């Protein structure tokens, strides 16, 4: 194994996932990339489209908010790399549907292993929100290291 992709969200479990994935990569002397997906940034902003050539402050504020979300995601990945003792680790912020983006990126980057965590959500949450880990396991063509996480 030469390339390991570690997919992280910003939950407290990210520390365990990043640490385990990175230790695994070190043991295999593999290249590592940390990725985070910003899911549907439109849900973070007000629903104002430019109409009749109006592009006032609301649109600019929305664009600034989207940019800020990406900057914070980048800061999170950089902080994770520093936490792992490798501030120069490669990082990538992705946009879109979480499981699709992770799978597409892992394939494009030619990852030999994809590391991610599961969360112990209720059945109701999984029904409403879907379960990203389940979708990754079901659709991945890349070998997986799934880190189980239990919410206490």
């Amino acid at each position: 194994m030469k390339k390991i992709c570690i997919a992280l969200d910003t939950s407290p479990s990210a520390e365990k996932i990043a640490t385990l994935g990175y230790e695994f990569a070190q043991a295999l002397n593999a290249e590592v990339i940390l990725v985070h997906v910003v899911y549907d940034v439109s849900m973070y902003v007000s629903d104002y489209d430019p109409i009749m050539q109006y592009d006032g402050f609301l649109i600019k504020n929305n664009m600034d908010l989207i940019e800020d979300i990406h900057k914070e995601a980048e800061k999170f990945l950089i902080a994770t790399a520093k936490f792992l003792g490798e501030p120069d680790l490669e990082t990538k912020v992705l946009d879109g549907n979480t499981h699709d983006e992770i799978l597409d990126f892992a394939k494009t980057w030619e990852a030999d292993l994809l590391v991610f965590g599961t969360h112990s959500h209720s059945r109701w949450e999984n029904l409403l929100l879907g379960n990203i880990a389940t979708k990754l396991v079901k659709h991945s063509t890349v070998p997986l290291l799934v880190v189980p996480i239990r919410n206490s």
Side-chain angles (χ1 to χ4, degrees):
M1 297 208 173
K2 297 180 182 181
K3 297 174 84 175
I4 296 179
C5 177
I6 303 173
L8 301 168
D9 62 13
T10 56
S11 70
S13 61
E15 182 177 330
K16 179 179 179 181
I17 297 161
T19 300
L20 185 65
Y22 186 66
E23 288 172 355
F24 201 81
Q26 282 184 306
L28 296 171
N29 197 29
E31 179 182 355
V32 175
I33 189 165
L34 304 174
V35 300
H36 174 79
V37 179
V38 175
Y39 175 75
D40 190 11
V41 293
S42 66
M43 68 186 249
Y44 297 99
V45 299
S46 300
D47 190 18
Y48 293 100
D49 290 325
I51 58 171
M52 297 178 285
Q53 298 180 357
Y54 170 76
D55 61 354
F57 78 96
L58 293 173
I59 294 165
K60 180 177 180 341
N61 287 346
N62 287 347
M63 296 309 294
D64 290 346
L65 179 59
I66 291 168
E67 187 176 315
D68 289 344
I69 291 168
H70 277 268
K71 285 180 184 176
E72 288 305 311
E74 289 169 9
K75 287 180 186 177
F76 164 71
L77 291 176
I78 290 167
T80 303
K82 288 179 183 175
F83 168 79
L84 294 171
E86 287 291 335
D88 295 327
L89 273 182
E90 187 176 357
T91 62
K92 180 77 174 168
V93 176
L94 307 169
D95 287 299
N97 184 295
T98 305
H99 73 276
D100 287 337
E101 292 301 319
I102 291 170
L103 292 174
D104 289 347
F105 180 81
K107 186 175 180 180
T108 301
W109 191 66
E110 298 178 344
D112 296 304
L113 182 69
L114 174 59
V115 179
F116 61 94
T118 64
H119 294 281
S120 182
H121 294 299
S122 70
R123 287 184 183 161
W124 182 245
E125 286 176 303
N126 286 339
L127 179 65
L128 290 175
L129 304 173
N131 186 313
I132 294 167
T134 299
K135 291 174 183 174
L136 290 172
V137 169
K138 189 173 184 178
H139 299 288
S140 183
T141 58
V142 175
L144 306 170
L145 174 59
V146 182
V147 181
I149 303 295
R150 295 255 181 240
N151 295 336
S152 300

